Every structure is written in structure tokens, then in C-alpha cells.
Amino acid sequence: MTDATAAGFELHRPYLMRLAYRMLGSLSDAEDVVQDAWLRWHESAPEALANPRAWLGRVVTRLCLDLMKSARRRRENYVGAWLPEPLIEEIGGPSRDEDNLDIPYVLQLALERLSPLERAAFLLHDVFDVPFSDIADTLGRSEAACRQLVSRARRHARQDAPRHPLSPDEARRYAIAFFEAAHSTDPTALKGLLAQDAVLHGDGGGKASSVLNPIFGRDKIGRFFAGLARKPEQQGFAPRYEPVLINEMPGYISVETDTEQAVVLDIRDGQVHAIYVIRNPDKLGPVRDRLKGS
């Protein structure tokens, strides 16, 4: 492989990483897929390709579809709920550019409910502006079938999109207020932040303590966190935390008594409607690195 050919692949790597992460919800799996695409690029004749970006996009999409089949089988044996790997960035940090992998966490979750083909078609068309003719070639379906896939995917994905973006000050304020309320033995403040029908989701993957099933309702969630704060091991323990954006949504990362965690807050109309707590250590490598450096 010539230097020019290698540089040609690197030019498209950010796009391929964004596509693979959004397809798979796992940064490590996305990196493996892009590496596999690089090997196929190396074995091909890239200088003869009329549209290298489209060719690589097809390769990555098909690799992701193959991996999603085995991933779904693995998740059948996953302990508790499976949540996407969180991507952390500083609140009010530099403007996002095309290298950024972020996609709102609630949208990433909505994508998990789509079939693999719906997910691929939706991302390629609505997120990456790939024409239906190329999507049909990638998925081995007709253009009409691909349009139907996108239409069905939109109905699922759009209903869970955040209502409006928060300013950095708002995001930081909600994150701090929730952290402080969640670590109080009095549930009053926390319940004041929550919507009546709020829901708590947790992901420990069987490797860290976490709720196995969602907790529904303001009162039950308030009692749950107050109960955690009353545990003997919490008394006198001062957890470290940092307000952050997680996949474009407010939240925080923290070191608790037994593990690190990332907490994502879905804020709508001034209330917390959903909380996602990721505690599976396999998904928290960047969180550990960031907290060690703080």
C-alpha cells in the first residue's frame, strides 16, 4: 500500500467511525469494524474506485450488519438491560465537527429498537445523506423497499428525539442538581426534579451492581436513590464526580463506593423524564481515564 492510498483511507476514517458507532452503539466494536474495512481497502485496488467514500461506507455497513446478528444473540444472555456505550465530552467544550461521534443518547436508544436494515437505511439516508440508489445497492434491496425502511425507522426514532437542546449553563445546572439530590437521604429534592412518570434504567452487565429492571415513577425512583444514600458504605464517603455531556445530553460521571458510572439525563420541559445509569466496567474505560486525570 502506498502512502497516498493509506492517506486516502484516513481521509474517510472519521465518517466510517461515526457510521459504525451509530450502527453498533459500541466504540470498541466500531473500531474493530473500521480496522476490518481498512484491511479490505488494503487488499483492493482503491486507486481504481470511482467513489472511495461510498465503497467504504458499503463495506462498513455490511460488516456492521453481520456483527449485529451475533451481537443480538449475545444480548439475549446479557444480565439486565443493555445500554449503549457512553461518549463523554466537556460541557461548553469546542464546537463539534465531523470527527465527532456523538448522537443524542435517546436517539441511540431508539435505534436499538429498529431492525438492523431499518437502522442502516435510516442512518445512511437521514444522518449521512446517502441517496436511496446507493442504499439499495448496499442493502441488496430495491429503492422502494429502502424508502419503506426509512419511513418505519423515522416513526420510532423521531418520537424519542430530545425536545430542545440545553445551553451549557442549563446542562451543568441540571447535572449538579441531580447528582446532589441523588446522594441525599431525603428524596424530596430529587422528586422535585423528576417528571411524575420518570423512568430509571441501569446497565451493570452482571459485572457491577445495578438495577436489573427499569424503575418507574417519581416516588419509586426517589426512594431508590435515598435508600442507596442510607447504606452504611455511603456514610462518610464523598464520591468524585464531573458534570459532562454524554452523547450530547446532560449528565455526570462519578466514582461511587464500588465502581465508576456514567449517568445520562433526558430533560424535557424542565423535568427529568428518564435516567440512564451505565455501570458495566467494559463500557467505562474513557470514564475511568477522565476521572483519574481530574
Side-chain angles (χ1 to χ4, degrees):
M1 177 178 287
T2 66
D3 291 342
T5 302
F9 181 88
E10 293 305 316
L11 179 66
H12 301 292
R13 184 184 289 274
Y15 161 64
L16 301 176
M17 279 297 300
R18 285 182 293 140
L19 174 59
Y21 170 74
R22 294 174 183 189
M23 283 284 291
L24 301 169
S26 166
L27 187 57
S28 58
D29 285 346
E31 290 170 341
D32 290 343
V33 162
V34 172
Q35 179 62 22
D36 199 347
W38 185 89
L39 294 174
R40 298 186 184 211
W41 171 268
H42 176 74
E43 294 166 356
S44 69
E47 65 279 358
L49 296 173
N51 190 336
R53 177 185 171 100
W55 185 88
L56 285 166
R58 283 195 293 273
V59 169
V60 165
T61 300
R62 290 168 180 170
L63 289 170
C64 286
L65 289 171
D66 289 341
L67 188 58
M68 288 169 76
K69 295 175 184 176
S70 59
R72 288 187 175 231
R73 286 196 292 270
R74 291 198 307 270
R75 289 178 197 173
E76 290 176 358
N77 299 317
Y78 196 83
V79 178
W82 185 94
L83 295 175
E85 182 176 344
L87 297 178
I88 313 299
E89 66 176 306
E90 182 181 353
I91 295 177
S95 299
R96 300 177 182 88
D97 56 31
E98 70 168 9
D99 291 356
N100 197 279
L101 296 174
D102 279 357
I103 185 170
Y105 205 76
V106 288
L107 180 54
Q108 188 72 44
L109 285 164
L111 294 177
E112 293 294 327
R113 297 196 292 272
L114 304 179
S115 72
L117 289 178
E118 287 172 342
R119 187 167 183 165
F122 173 79
L123 287 170
L124 289 170
H125 186 266
D126 280 24
V127 176
F128 296 108
D129 297 320
V130 176
F132 277 113
S133 57
D134 288 353
I135 297 173
D137 182 41
T138 298
L139 301 184
R141 300 291 192 275
S142 68
E143 288 190 40
C146 290
R147 290 179 189 275
Q148 291 179 343
L149 288 170
V150 171
S151 178
R152 289 199 299 268
R154 284 172 180 161
R155 289 196 293 271
H156 290 286
R158 295 285 169 81
Q159 67 185 10
D160 289 318
R163 299 302 184 265
H164 61 83
L166 299 176
S167 70
D169 286 344
E170 287 177 311
R172 187 176 291 104
R173 177 168 57 83
Y174 277 114
I176 293 173
F178 188 92
F179 174 85
E180 292 177 348
H183 289 78
S184 171
T185 57
D186 182 354
T188 304
L190 182 60
K191 290 195 289 185
L193 296 172
L194 299 174
Q196 183 66 41
D197 59 351
V199 58
L200 167 67
H201 300 271
D203 177 356
K207 300 181 179 182
S209 59
S210 180
V211 297
L212 295 179
N213 298 301
I215 298 176
F216 295 96
R218 171 191 296 162
D219 291 338
K220 289 183 179 179
I221 295 173
R223 290 196 299 271
F224 171 77
F225 279 106
L228 290 181
R230 294 189 190 104
K231 287 189 173 182
E233 59 266 28
Q234 291 283 359
Q235 304 307 309
F237 177 79
R240 292 203 322 276
Y241 84 107
E242 178 186 355
V244 293
L245 290 180
I246 301 176
N247 295 66
E248 299 185 1
M249 297 178 66
Y252 60 86
I253 55 176
S254 63
V255 179
E256 304 296 326
T257 53
D258 56 348
T259 190
E260 298 85 6
Q261 66 181 22
V263 177
V264 191
L265 305 175
D266 182 5
I267 310 293
R268 307 179 194 177
D269 301 321
Q271 294 182 307
V272 179
H273 280 252
I275 309 111
Y276 304 96
V277 182
I278 303 96
R279 309 192 89 225
N280 184 340
D282 295 343
K283 301 179 181 182
L284 297 175
V287 170
R288 284 191 292 275
D289 294 340
R290 189 178 182 104
L291 287 170
K292 286 178 182 176
S294 62

